[in-house]
Amino acid sequence: MQLKPINQQVVAIVGASSGIGRETALQFAREGAKVIVSARNQAGLDSLVEEIRQAGGDATAIAADVREFKQVQAIADKVIQQYGRLDTWVHLAAVELYASFEQTTPEEFKQIIDINLMGQVFGAMVALPHLKREGRGALIHVSSVEAIRALPLQSAYASSKHGINGFLESLRVELMHDKVPVSVTEVQPASINTPVFDKARTKLGVKPMGVPPLYAPADVAKVILYVAEHPTRDIVVGDAGKAITLLQRLSPQLVDAFMRQSGFEAQRTDKPKSEDAPTNLYEPISGYDQVNGEFPTQPSLTTWLDTHPTVTWGAIAATAALGAAALLGWGNEV
């Protein structure tokens, strides 16, 4: 499957007002793509479009609540109205709740499923006809490492991410069966330093945080741009994410023990935060229209290797050659 170069693409990014989505829009625009950005937060979208245009990029905003199919449909309609086609759909709108399952209300659980899972489903539904008409394109859905391994205190969020994984596996195979040239990618970030921890509802009594180590939103955005040009099934962002998903496949019981021991305290800061503090669970909140949160980050070697496959295979080949030379030398010495 041949996808267009970034500078020839029209890209829709849903969930773009802050964090990974905002950084992704900025990176696509810098590379010459035409971008349509969407989120519930009109002010955040307006500041993003202004930032892109001041840098010489091409961007259009449309506010939408992804719980409503008609509003998601309006995003796709705006893309076609503005640019005449769609090449890549990036969907990452999500909300978060930190609470035990027993503390979680039915309304909270449903809200998270409606935004995080059904929003992704609606996105694929409205984007797919346009991608098929173009004869190629990419559906890029950002879930989480929690699509593979859930954390405690996040039962609703983890359920929504597991749902995305199952939905995309089914959709991908259907498109393959029908020989539809659309790439379906699931991007699974580990803990990422975004404003989500400021915006999330928490019943922990303190501000939550991602399980360390945390990685930069820019790392995820680079991966998204990479898979927009290179068809990829799924990709984990962050060395720790790679490790935990591997351990989950090898021994879920071992990961259970690890989570029981350290998964609770690792998600807590020492900064008090009330359950009644403003959050974006039901409505957007102002003050967080930015890419990064407040936590330190570290680089991810495995993510860099995933997006530089020629370097990866070159390193493997070089290692193999050195190994063969060492064996031959050893044999000669014997």
Side-chain angles (χ1 to χ4, degrees):
M1 189 186 305
Q2 185 85 23
L3 298 175
K4 293 180 181 178
I6 296 297
N7 62 7
Q8 297 177 22
Q9 289 195 22
V10 174
V11 182
I13 304 163
V14 184
S17 60
S18 67
I20 297 168
R22 191 179 187 97
E23 177 65 19
T24 299
L26 291 168
Q27 288 196 22
F28 267 114
R30 280 198 295 268
E31 294 297 320
K34 297 175 173 61
V35 297
I36 295 82
V37 293
S38 184
R40 293 178 298 176
N41 188 342
Q42 184 68 60
L45 294 176
D46 290 343
S47 67
L48 173 58
V49 168
E50 179 64 20
E51 185 175 352
I52 289 172
R53 289 178 177 171
Q54 284 188 353
D58 190 339
T60 301
I62 175 171
D65 186 334
V66 297
R67 295 176 304 163
E68 302 294 333
F69 178 79
K70 289 184 178 179
Q71 293 192 37
V72 182
Q73 180 69 66
I75 301 171
D77 292 344
K78 183 70 173 180
V79 174
I80 302 307
Q81 175 191 345
Q82 186 76 17
Y83 298 110
R85 71 177 197 278
L86 172 67
D87 300 301
T88 296
W89 181 277
V90 181
H91 203 113
L92 36 62
V95 293
E96 174 67 292
L97 167 69
Y98 288 86
S100 70
F101 175 69
E102 290 187 324
Q103 292 176 303
T104 304
T105 68
E107 294 77 18
E108 290 168 337
F109 207 108
K110 183 177 185 299
Q111 178 77 353
I112 289 174
I113 295 297
D114 286 347
I115 292 176
N116 296 9
L117 174 56
M118 293 310 301
Q120 298 252 5
V121 172
F122 293 161
M125 284 180 173
V126 304
L128 192 53
H130 299 297
L131 298 176
K132 290 173 67 176
R133 187 174 63 247
E134 284 302 304
R136 57 177 167 171
L139 283 172
I140 302 173
H141 293 261
V142 179
S143 64
S144 168
V145 166
E146 291 200 63
I148 305 300
R149 173 67 215 198
L151 289 167
L153 305 175
Q154 298 189 47
S155 57
Y157 183 85
S159 297
S160 70
K161 301 303 182 176
H162 271 67
I164 293 169
N165 180 261
F167 156 59
L168 294 179
E169 284 189 345
S170 180
L171 172 62
R172 184 183 295 112
V173 175
E174 289 177 11
L175 295 177
M176 291 168 62
H177 176 268
D178 295 339
K179 297 181 173 58
V180 176
V182 171
S183 172
V184 178
T185 301
E186 182 178 1
V187 178
Q188 300 166 336
S191 296
I192 306 298
N193 180 39
T194 74
V196 66
F197 308 109
D198 296 291
K199 297 191 291 184
R201 173 170 290 186
T202 176
K203 299 184 182 182
L204 308 181
V206 295
K207 177 181 171 178
M209 64 177 290
V211 175
L214 279 74
Y215 303 93
D219 291 339
V220 188
K222 289 173 185 175
V223 166
I224 292 170
L225 265 70
Y226 176 80
V227 301
E229 286 186 313
H230 305 88
T232 305
R233 187 185 192 279
D234 47 45
I235 185 166
V236 174
V237 183
D239 300 337
K242 293 271 194 181
I244 202 69
T245 54
L246 175 60
L247 284 174
Q248 174 68 13
R249 291 185 172 100
L250 294 174
S251 177
Q253 294 85 355
L254 180 62
V255 183
D256 288 345
F258 170 77
M259 292 294 182
R260 184 175 66 248
Q261 182 70 25
S262 60
F264 291 82
E265 286 304 313
Q267 298 183 75
R268 300 169 60 94
T269 68
D270 57 5
K271 183 182 295 185
K273 183 175 180 179
S274 166
E275 179 181 337
D276 299 324
T279 77
N280 71 339
L281 184 59
Y282 292 103
E283 299 292 339
I285 57 175
S286 60
Y288 300 103
D289 304 330
Q290 62 202 49
V291 170
N292 296 296
E294 65 176 35
F295 300 103
T297 61
Q298 70 177 43
S300 172
L301 175 61
T302 58
T303 300
W304 188 88
L305 291 173
D306 281 340
T307 54
H308 295 80
T310 55
V311 175
T312 304
W313 284 110
I316 292 172
T319 302
L322 288 171
L327 286 173
L328 288 171
W330 178 80
N332 289 335
E333 289 173 4
V334 172

